[in-house]
Amino acid sequence: MVLGGKRDESLILPTNDSISATLDIDQLHAKTSVMISLDFKEDHIWLNGREQDIKNPRLQNCLKEIKKRSQLPGYMNDWKIHICSKNNFPTAAGLASSAAGYACLATALAKLYKVEGDISVIARSGSGSACRSIFGGFVRWHMGVDKNGADSIAKQIVPASHWPEMRILILVVTDEQKKIPSAIGMKRSMETSQFLQYRISHTVPERTNKMQQAIIEKDFKTFAELTMKDSNQMHAVCLDTYPPCVYMNNISNSIMNLIHSYNDAVNDVKVAYTFDAGTNATLYLLEKDVPTVMGVLNYFFPPVANVAIEYKRGLPVEEIKPAKDLLEKLKFEKQPPGQLKYIIYTKVGDGPKYLDNPQDHLLDGQGNPINFS
Amino acid sequence: MVLGGKRDESLILPTNDSISATLDIDQLHAKTSVMISLDFKEDHIWLNGREQDIKNPRLQNCLKEIKKRSQLPGYMNDWKIHICSKNNFPTAAGLASSAAGYACLATALAKLYKVEGDISVIARSGSGSACRSIFGGFVRWHMGVDKNGADSIAKQIVPASHWPEMRILILVVTDEQKKIPSAIGMKRSMETSQFLQYRISHTVPERTNKMQQAIIEKDFKTFAELTMKDSNQMHAVCLDTYPPCVYMNNISNSIMNLIHSYNDAVNDVKVAYTFDAGTNATLYLLEKDVPTVMGVLNYFFPPVANVAIEYKRGLPVEEIKPAKDLLEKLKFEKQPPGQLKYIIYTKVGDGPKYLDNPQDHLLDGQGNPINFS
C-alpha cells in the first residue's frame, strides 16, 4: 500500500518502510516448482508456459543468495536447476505479479536448499516487494540502515486472522502489460522528482507508523484514508517525474470518484482504493459492506451483456441492488458497459503454502514443464 | 504557467510568485462594455448573452476597489452600472477565461472611473491571475508581503516584441465547463496537500527565477522544460489533494506523451505543453516549428472527416506533412478521429486594448445588452 523508491538499485534497498497485505492464495497466486538434478545440462526457467531468460539479473541474484545459505551437501549446489512458475492472474499489469512470483520462488528455493530462518533477503533480491509477500497477513518491510541490506527485512504486523473481516475487491480495468515497468519508473522518479525526496523524508515515515497502528487497532476509517492518500501521493510523484509516468487512466479516475461519492453518500469511509503502477484498482472494505458495494459497482460499471467472460471471480458474493435513495445521493454517472473487465473478490491470506500433492507439480519427473491447457 | 495556492482567500493573495504569457487578443479575447447612468435602476451584468448574479462576491470586490480609487465626481460613483462581457473562447474550461474576463473588466472600469496607475489590485480582487493579464508579453505576479496585498502586484518581464518568435497552440479537448472550479480545488489543496507546502517553499521560488531568466535570454529549451515540469507538478499537487482533483484525462495524457515522443525523436526540446485546471493543452513552440508540429498533431490526432466545425483556428498556418523517418521515430499510436475538437494557433500579445469604435460596444444607448447572433 505504501510505495517508494530504491536507495540501492542492485541490492533493491528501499528509501522507506512500507506495508502491504498479502492476499489469499485461494483466489490469486503464483505457483512454482523447482527441481535440481545431476542430469540437467543447463538452468532453465518457464513462466506461464513460456521459457524465460535464465540470465535475468534479478533471478540470478535470487539464486546466488539462496546458494550462499544452502544447507545441501556442497556438490548439490552445482547441480543445474529447473524452475517452472505460473500465476493465475495478469502478469505485469500492476497487480504485483513479480512480488507474488519471487516470494513463491524464494519460498520454494528455501525448501529445496534447506535454508532456514528469515528469507526476506532472498525474496527481496528478486523483487523488492516480494520480501513482504513471504509472510501472510499485514506485513511491514523495514528499510534498515545496513549498507548491504542485511537488516532490510520484512516482519509480519499481524496475521490475517487478526482482522478477519477485511476484504479486497480487485477491479481489473486492463490485463495488458503496463507501458512503463515499475522499476524503470521508480528509478526515473528517484532521479527527477522533487516531491519524492519530501515524501521519503516527511510523509512516509509518519504514515507508515499510523498505518501500522490502524491495522493493530482495526481502525478501518484511518486505514482507508491513509490507503487512499498514499496511493494518490505515489501517483502524484509519478506525475512529478520527468518525463512523467501516468499509470491511471480515465476508468481508474472514475473508480476513484465513485469511491469518494459512495463514502460521501453513506457519510462514512466504507471503501478505500489503491492503485499500483497500473490502471487496476484494489479496493479495501469490510465483509459486511461487500454485497452493497458489489451492487453499486455492478450498477455503475455494468459488464457487457452476453459475454462469455466471468465477471465476478474469487469468493462468492450475493450482491445487493443499490437502493433508490443511495443512487440519488451518489453523484456519479452510469458508465458504458465493459469498462471493467472483471472483479476479483478476495481476502487477506496466510502467505506461501507448500503443496505436497504430486499432482500440483509443474515439472515432470524429467524436469520438463508439464503442459497445462 | 506557474500555479499555486492562495495565502488569503478573500483578498486573493497568492502563496508564491508566478509567471504567465498574455495571449494575443486577435485570436482569444474577452470583450467588455461598462456604462453608468443616473437612469439605471439597478446594477446588472451579462456574460456571453446571459444575465449573471451581480452579487457575485468577486465582482463586488472589483467594484468596491475601483470606486475607492475613482476620480469621477463623488455623486457619479453612486450611479448604477451595467456590465456586458463576452469571450470568444470556452468559459471555465481551463483556458483562463476568468483571468481574461476580470483583466478586461478592471481595464474597462479603470477607464470609466478615470483610475490611473497600477490596477493589479483591482483585477486581482476579481480573479487572482487576472492581475497578470492586464499587461501584455510575459508577466510576473509578485506575491508581495503586505497583509492587505498592497504589494501583491503584476509586473511585465518583457513585452511580446522581446520574443516575437514565440507561438502558442491551444488544443481544445473539451469546451465543457470543468467539474471542480479552480478556486475550490486550490482551497482544498491548501488544506490537504503535503506536497503543496513543499512546492511553495522550495520548488516555485527557484523555478520562477529560472523561468524569468529563460524568458529574458530567450532560452527556449529551459523555458520549455520548466513549463512542462511545472505543469506536471501542479497536477501532482491536485492528485495529492484529498479528495483528489484530476483535471487531465486520457486525451490530455496522450498529448503529453506525443510531445515527449516528438522532442525525443528530434533530439531536442521543440515543444512544451502545459495544462491548466482542465483537459485542454497549451503548447509553446517557436514559429519555425509550427508547420511541422501542426502536421504531426493533425496526423496523430486527426479531425473527424466532413464535420462542419472549423478544426484549425486563429493564425493561418501551412502545415507540413510529417516525413516518413519522423513518423518511424515517433513511438506513438495514431488516435481515433475527433479526440481534439479544434486547435487555436496564436501568439503572445500586447494586453488589453480600448475599442473606440461604437460598433464594438456590447451595450446600446439605453444600457441594454446588444443581442449578438
Side-chain angles (χ1 to χ4, degrees):
Chain A
M1 289 167 274
V2 185
L3 292 163
K6 294 183 192 131
R7 71 175 198 269
D8 185 302
E9 277 290 325
S10 61
L11 290 170
I12 315 194
L13 297 179
T15 53
N16 45 258
D17 284 22
S18 55
I19 293 175
S20 65
T22 300
L23 302 188
D24 194 336
I25 55 172
D26 283 352
Q27 284 79 49
L28 297 168
H29 62 253
K31 198 169 165 181
T32 302
S33 291
V34 287
M35 190 172 173
I36 52 171
S37 164
L38 183 57
D39 296 336
F40 292 167
K41 299 275 184 290
E42 283 178 314
D43 290 344
H44 281 288
I45 181 167
W46 295 268
L47 177 61
N48 296 322
R50 285 189 176 196
E51 177 142 25
Q52 307 289 314
D53 184 6
I54 191 78
K55 293 202 184 78
N56 181 321
R58 293 161 154 243
L59 178 63
Q60 286 300 323
N61 285 344
C62 228
L63 292 171
K64 210 175 70 188
E65 286 294 330
I66 201 85
K67 285 182 183 176
K68 269 192 213 165
R69 287 170 57 186
S70 167
Q71 297 296 318
L72 290 182
Y75 67 93
M76 287 176 80
N77 289 325
D78 295 331
W79 289 3
K80 300 295 179 191
I81 189 166
H82 283 193
I83 302 167
C84 190
S85 186
K86 61 173 201 164
N87 39 280
N88 74 340
F89 63 97
T91 302
L95 291 172
S97 57
S98 69
Y102 278 105
C104 186
L105 177 63
T107 308
L109 290 172
K111 181 90 169 170
L112 175 63
Y113 290 94
K114 299 188 190 300
V115 169
E116 289 185 358
D118 185 86
I119 57 165
S120 288
V121 174
I122 297 158
R124 199 193 71 221
S125 63
S127 172
S129 50
C131 77
R132 290 186 307 246
S133 310
I134 54 174
F135 298 103
F138 293 87
V139 187
R140 179 166 184 161
W141 178 5
H142 298 262
M143 62 178 284
V145 290
D146 185 77
K147 268 198 171 178
N148 300 314
D151 59 351
S152 183
I153 58 171
K155 286 181 188 168
Q156 188 182 67
I157 298 171
V158 293
S161 58
H162 173 78
W163 204 345
E165 305 87 357
M166 184 64 88
R167 289 293 178 276
I168 291 111
L169 292 173
I170 297 170
L171 314 189
V172 177
V173 171
T174 173
D175 45 15
E176 285 167 27
Q177 298 211 356
K178 55 202 171 195
K179 285 174 203 156
I180 313 161
S182 331
I184 289 174
M186 270 192 262
K187 190 163 178 282
R188 207 195 281 168
S189 297
M190 280 298 281
E191 289 161 359
T192 63
S193 170
Q194 298 187 316
F195 281 168
L196 182 55
Q197 296 308 320
Y198 181 81
R199 172 170 161 76
I200 290 165
S201 53
H202 288 75
T203 318
V204 173
E206 193 199 329
R207 274 193 189 160
T208 313
N209 291 334
K210 277 189 186 166
M211 177 60 100
Q212 173 157 341
Q213 202 55 31
I215 291 167
I216 290 167
E217 291 171 4
K218 299 173 63 174
D219 170 359
F220 184 80
K221 192 178 171 186
T222 303
F223 170 89
E225 283 179 344
L226 286 170
T227 298
M228 292 187 274
K229 285 181 183 174
D230 211 65
S231 172
N232 295 338
Q233 192 173 82
M234 198 277 289
H235 288 278
V237 166
C238 296
L239 193 50
D240 184 50
T241 297
Y242 189 82
C245 304
V246 176
Y247 294 106
M248 292 164 72
N249 68 8
N250 285 356
I251 305 175
S252 317
N253 290 327
S254 294
I255 295 167
M256 194 171 81
N257 289 335
L258 176 61
I259 301 309
H260 284 294
S261 296
Y262 180 77
N263 288 334
D264 284 352
V266 298
N267 203 18
D268 198 350
V269 183
K270 291 281 195 184
V271 192
Y273 57 78
T274 176
F275 293 85
D276 204 330
T279 55
N280 305 321
T282 299
L283 307 185
Y284 284 86
L285 69 174
L286 298 178
E287 185 179 14
K288 64 180 169 53
D289 298 315
V290 173
T292 310
V293 170
M294 202 65 171
V296 167
L297 288 170
N298 239 321
Y299 179 84
F300 288 103
F301 289 95
V304 178
N306 306 319
V307 161
I309 201 165
E310 194 190 349
Y311 189 64
K312 288 192 279 178
R313 304 182 183 187
L315 296 169
V317 55
E318 282 298 324
E319 67 177 71
I320 295 173
K321 279 201 177 172
K324 233 184 179 176
D325 67 316
L326 176 62
L327 286 179
E328 276 162 17
K329 278 188 208 158
L330 275 164
K331 286 165 202 124
F332 194 81
E333 235 172 271
K334 202 170 169 167
Q335 303 293 302
Q339 300 260 35
L340 300 185
K341 292 212 162 179
Y342 50 91
I343 299 176
I344 306 166
Y345 176 30
T346 183
K347 54 190 172 64
V348 184
D350 297 321
K353 189 168 108 181
Y354 298 109
L355 302 173
D356 292 326
N357 190 334
Q359 293 196 329
D360 283 318
H361 287 186
L362 302 177
L363 293 166
D364 66 18
Q366 281 69 48
N368 294 316
I370 294 165
N371 210 358
F372 299 94
S373 57
Chain B
M1 289 166 274
V2 184
L3 293 163
K6 293 182 193 133
R7 70 174 199 269
D8 185 300
E9 277 292 324
S10 62
L11 290 171
I12 316 196
L13 298 180
T15 53
N16 45 257
D17 284 22
S18 55
I19 293 175
S20 65
T22 300
L23 302 188
D24 194 335
I25 55 171
D26 283 350
Q27 284 79 49
L28 297 168
H29 62 252
K31 197 170 166 181
T32 302
S33 292
V34 287
M35 191 172 173
I36 53 172
S37 164
L38 183 57
D39 296 336
F40 292 166
K41 299 276 183 292
E42 281 180 315
D43 291 342
H44 281 290
I45 181 168
W46 295 269
L47 177 60
N48 296 321
R50 286 188 174 195
E51 177 143 24
Q52 307 289 314
D53 184 5
I54 192 78
K55 293 203 184 75
N56 180 321
R58 291 160 156 245
L59 178 62
Q60 287 299 324
N61 285 343
C62 227
L63 292 170
K64 209 174 71 188
E65 287 293 331
I66 202 84
K67 286 182 183 176
K68 269 192 214 165
R69 287 171 55 187
S70 168
Q71 297 296 319
L72 290 181
Y75 67 92
M76 287 176 79
N77 289 324
D78 294 332
W79 289 3
K80 300 295 177 190
I81 189 165
H82 283 195
I83 302 167
C84 190
S85 186
K86 61 172 200 165
N87 38 279
N88 73 340
F89 62 98
T91 302
L95 290 172
S97 57
S98 69
Y102 277 105
C104 186
L105 177 63
T107 308
L109 290 173
K111 181 91 169 169
L112 175 63
Y113 289 94
K114 300 189 189 300
V115 169
E116 287 184 1
D118 186 85
I119 57 165
S120 290
V121 174
I122 297 158
R124 200 193 70 220
S125 63
S127 172
S129 49
C131 76
R132 289 186 308 245
S133 309
I134 53 173
F135 298 104
F138 293 88
V139 187
R140 180 167 183 159
W141 179 6
H142 298 262
M143 62 178 284
V145 291
D146 184 77
K147 269 197 171 178
N148 300 315
D151 59 351
S152 185
I153 57 171
K155 287 182 188 165
Q156 188 182 67
I157 299 170
V158 293
S161 58
H162 173 78
W163 204 346
E165 305 87 357
M166 184 64 88
R167 290 294 178 277
I168 291 111
L169 293 173
I170 297 170
L171 314 189
V172 177
V173 172
T174 173
D175 45 15
E176 285 167 26
Q177 298 211 356
K178 54 202 171 196
K179 286 173 202 156
I180 314 161
S182 329
I184 289 173
M186 270 193 263
K187 189 163 179 282
R188 207 196 282 168
S189 296
M190 279 298 280
E191 289 162 359
T192 63
S193 170
Q194 297 188 317
F195 281 167
L196 182 55
Q197 297 307 320
Y198 181 82
R199 171 170 162 76
I200 290 165
S201 53
H202 288 74
T203 318
V204 174
E206 193 200 328
R207 274 193 189 160
T208 313
N209 291 334
K210 277 189 186 168
M211 177 61 101
Q212 174 158 338
Q213 203 54 32
I215 291 167
I216 291 168
E217 291 171 5
K218 298 174 61 174
D219 170 358
F220 184 80
K221 195 178 169 185
T222 304
F223 170 89
E225 283 179 344
L226 286 171
T227 298
M228 292 187 274
K229 285 181 183 173
D230 211 65
S231 172
N232 294 337
Q233 192 173 82
M234 198 277 288
H235 289 277
V237 166
C238 296
L239 193 50
D240 185 50
T241 296
Y242 189 82
C245 304
V246 176
Y247 294 107
M248 293 164 72
N249 69 7
N250 286 356
I251 305 175
S252 317
N253 290 328
S254 294
I255 295 167
M256 193 171 80
N257 289 335
L258 176 60
I259 302 308
H260 284 294
S261 296
Y262 179 77
N263 288 334
D264 284 350
V266 299
N267 204 17
D268 199 349
V269 183
K270 293 279 196 186
V271 192
Y273 56 79
T274 176
F275 294 85
D276 204 330
T279 55
N280 304 322
T282 300
L283 307 185
Y284 284 86
L285 70 173
L286 297 179
E287 186 180 13
K288 65 179 168 54
D289 297 316
V290 172
T292 310
V293 170
M294 202 65 170
V296 167
L297 288 170
N298 239 320
Y299 179 85
F300 287 104
F301 289 95
V304 178
N306 307 318
V307 161
I309 201 165
E310 194 189 350
Y311 189 64
K312 289 193 278 179
R313 305 183 183 187
L315 296 170
V317 54
E318 283 297 323
E319 69 178 69
I320 295 174
K321 279 202 178 171
K324 232 184 180 178
D325 67 316
L326 175 62
L327 286 178
E328 275 162 18
K329 278 187 207 157
L330 275 163
K331 286 165 201 123
F332 194 81
E333 237 173 272
K334 202 170 168 165
Q335 302 292 302
Q339 299 259 35
L340 299 186
K341 292 213 163 180
Y342 51 90
I343 298 176
I344 306 167
Y345 176 30
T346 184
K347 55 190 171 64
V348 184
D350 297 322
K353 190 168 107 180
Y354 298 109
L355 301 174
D356 292 326
N357 190 334
Q359 292 197 330
D360 283 318
H361 286 186
L362 303 177
L363 293 166
D364 65 20
Q366 281 69 49
N368 294 316
I370 295 165
N371 210 358
F372 300 94
S373 57

